[in-house]
């Protein structure tokens, strides 16, 4: 039976140890370099691409709910995403299709919540960082147009490098630092003549950048030492953060406003919320997977590389900045810096 459970648990890779006998479904080839001389493995590349795809789509659906439908309660969307994610994880774990650790999912757990309480307590800092990250990121989408949102979010890499240094004493080579500097310079150039400038919106985006950096650095620090895989970390986040978000939305009156929302019964709005919840689950999974396999800084840089598609699609669907040469130059510098980092990462420089 253990064998059968392990095969069923091999549906998705869940940790940095997958492919090494822990039921991740990966093979030895997945741990091979992307190509000769590359510092990134094939699994690392798949994790990065998976994250970027989910992130682009989630921003679009969140923006559609908050802007196109003018849904006033960003925290309610966050709550729905957490509830759906936790319920899905519970069903998958109860069905023994996944495990929350690297052990065989067919082995029963005596823990009340599938993970020992001491582990749940140990991951509390990660869960609190996740809560701040979710609330700030969701609210930051509202006040800034999609092109400028993605531009400002690129500065997350600076905060991430800082957090990595203080938490893990991680130092980076001059080419990496140069690529980050180019990204930040491009972000400031792009925003220099933003005709839709919103001080509050900009401030919230920078708060989101700080919380994102703290969250990614905490994943890298706690995720690898907790004994939990990506699903287990997501489960702990849901248990700790779900009640907090529920209390927050009730205290602020968001639940009542959401129930009175005129488009609540609209099939289009319901479809947007459904896809938002599904993509939030997949995004959270790929964030853990990519950060543990690669690094917190690589995760941040992946967020920059996917911005090319986010900017293009967002400009077409939701509108954005009036054409401005300075903005285009800044966007180009940001993409150039992201490409330089990707090259340095792949080549191991």
């Amino acid at each position: 039976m253990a064998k059968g459970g392990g095969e069923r648990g091999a549906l998705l890779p869940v940790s940095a140890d997958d492919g090494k006998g822990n039921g991740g479904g990966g093979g030895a080839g997945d741990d091979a370099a992307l190509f000769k001389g590359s510092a990134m493995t094939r699994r690392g590349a798949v994790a990065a691409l998976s994250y970027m795809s989910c992130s682009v789509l989630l921003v679009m659906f969140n923006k559609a709910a908050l802007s196109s439908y003018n849904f006033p309660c960003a925290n309610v969307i966050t709550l729905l995403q957490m509830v759906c994610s936790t319920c899905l994880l519970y069903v998958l774990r109860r069905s023994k299709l996944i495990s929350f650790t690297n052990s065989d999912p067919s082995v029963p757990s005596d823990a009340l919540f599938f993970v020992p309480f001491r582990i749940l307590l140990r991951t509390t800092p990660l869960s609190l960082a996740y809560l701040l990250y979710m609330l700030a990121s969701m609210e930051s989408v509202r006040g800034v147009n999609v092109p400028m949102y993605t531009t400002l979010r690129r500065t997350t890499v600076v905060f991430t490098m800082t957090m990595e240094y203080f938490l893990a004493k991680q130092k980076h080579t001059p080419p990496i630092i140069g690529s980050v500097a180019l990204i930040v310079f491009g972000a400031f150039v792009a925003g220099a003549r933003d005709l839709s400038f919103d001080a509050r919106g900009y401030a919230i985006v920078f708060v989101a950048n700080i919380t994102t950096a703290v969250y990614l650095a905490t994943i890298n620090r706690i995720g690898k030492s907790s004994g939990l895989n990506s699903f287990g970390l997501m489960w702990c986040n849901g248990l700790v953060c779900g009640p907090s978000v529920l209390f927050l939305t009730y205290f602020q009156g968001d639940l009542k406003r959401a129930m009175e929302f005129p488009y609540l019964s609209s099939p289009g709005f319901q479809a947007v919320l459904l896809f938002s919840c599904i993509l939030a689950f997949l995004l959270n999974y790929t964030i853990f997977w990519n950060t543990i396999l690669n690094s917190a800084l690589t995760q941040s840089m992946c967020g920059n590389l996917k911005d090319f598609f986010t900017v293009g699609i967002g400009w077409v669907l939701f509108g954005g900045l009036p054409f401005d040469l300075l903005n285009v130059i800044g966007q180009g510098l940001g993409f150039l810096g992201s490409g330089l980092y990707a090259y340095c990462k792949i080549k191991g420089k």
Side-chain angles (χ1 to χ4, degrees):
M1 180 170 178
K3 182 178 180 180
E7 290 172 353
R8 286 188 296 171
L11 293 175
L12 288 172
V14 290
S15 73
D17 296 325
D18 293 345
K20 298 178 183 178
N22 290 326
D30 294 330
D31 289 319
L34 188 59
F35 54 81
K36 187 175 181 180
S38 172
M40 178 176 282
T41 66
R42 294 176 184 174
R43 284 193 301 129
V46 171
L49 291 173
S50 299
Y51 159 74
M52 289 189 282
S53 300
C54 292
S55 183
V56 170
L57 292 173
L58 181 59
V59 169
M60 295 302 115
F61 280 101
N62 284 345
K63 187 68 176 178
L66 296 172
S67 296
S68 298
Y69 283 97
N70 292 317
F71 186 63
C73 309
N75 290 343
V76 172
I77 297 181
T78 302
L79 177 62
L80 287 175
Q81 291 173 348
M82 285 186 179
V83 170
C84 291
S85 176
T86 304
C87 290
L88 181 58
L89 286 170
Y90 177 85
V91 172
L92 292 174
R93 180 62 184 86
R94 178 63 68 181
S95 302
K96 299 178 182 177
L97 293 174
I98 63 172
S99 173
F100 290 160
T101 65
N102 290 327
S103 61
D104 194 318
S106 65
V107 177
S109 173
D110 295 329
L112 178 61
F113 297 113
F114 295 125
V115 295
F117 180 75
R118 59 180 178 82
I119 298 295
L120 184 64
L121 193 62
R122 184 175 182 179
T123 60
T124 298
L126 175 62
S127 300
L128 295 178
Y130 169 71
L131 177 62
L132 295 175
Y133 155 75
M134 285 287 290
L135 295 177
S137 297
M138 181 63 69
E139 188 62 33
S140 67
V141 177
R142 183 195 302 275
V144 181
N145 58 67
V146 173
M148 281 311 304
Y149 169 80
T150 54
T151 298
L152 295 173
R153 287 289 277 167
R154 290 197 199 108
T155 60
T156 303
V157 296
V158 177
F159 299 104
T160 304
M161 290 181 69
T162 303
M163 292 303 302
E164 282 190 330
Y165 175 77
F166 282 110
L167 292 180
K169 301 301 179 182
Q170 175 70 44
K171 297 182 179 180
H172 299 282
T173 61
I176 294 294
I177 296 176
S179 66
V180 171
L182 188 59
I183 290 170
V184 175
F185 177 69
F188 281 105
V189 170
R193 289 209 300 255
D194 179 13
L195 302 182
S196 59
F197 177 82
D198 182 340
R200 179 180 179 276
Y202 275 41
I204 294 176
V205 172
F206 279 112
V207 170
N209 289 348
I210 296 173
T211 58
T212 300
V214 173
Y215 178 51
L216 296 180
T218 309
I219 290 176
N220 216 30
R221 183 183 180 94
I222 295 179
K224 293 180 179 179
S225 61
S226 65
L228 299 176
N229 58 34
S230 299
F231 292 128
L233 294 172
M234 291 169 62
W235 173 255
C236 291
N237 280 352
L239 291 183
V240 174
C241 299
S244 302
V245 178
L246 177 60
F247 174 79
L248 179 64
T249 53
Y250 178 79
F251 179 77
Q252 293 182 334
D254 286 344
L255 288 178
K256 182 178 180 181
R257 285 196 295 269
M259 295 302 296
E260 297 172 350
F261 184 60
Y263 295 107
L264 187 62
S265 59
S266 168
F269 179 70
Q270 292 176 353
V272 167
L273 286 184
L274 175 62
F275 281 106
S276 175
C277 291
I278 295 173
L279 287 166
F281 174 83
L282 295 175
L283 178 66
N284 209 10
Y285 166 77
T286 54
I287 285 175
F288 281 118
W289 189 30
N290 187 34
T291 304
I292 292 175
L293 274 179
N294 296 308
S295 70
L297 183 59
T298 298
Q299 168 64 27
S300 292
M301 297 303 297
C302 286
N304 290 325
L305 288 173
K306 56 84 180 171
D307 284 346
F308 176 80
F309 302 99
T310 305
V311 169
I313 298 174
W315 219 313
V316 171
L317 295 181
F318 306 109
L321 298 173
F323 178 81
D324 181 82
L325 181 60
L326 200 61
N327 183 270
V328 173
I329 293 174
Q331 297 278 3
L333 290 173
F335 294 136
L336 180 61
S338 299
L340 176 61
Y341 175 86
Y343 173 79
C344 294
K345 176 67 178 178
I346 291 174
K347 297 297 291 185
K349 295 182 179 180

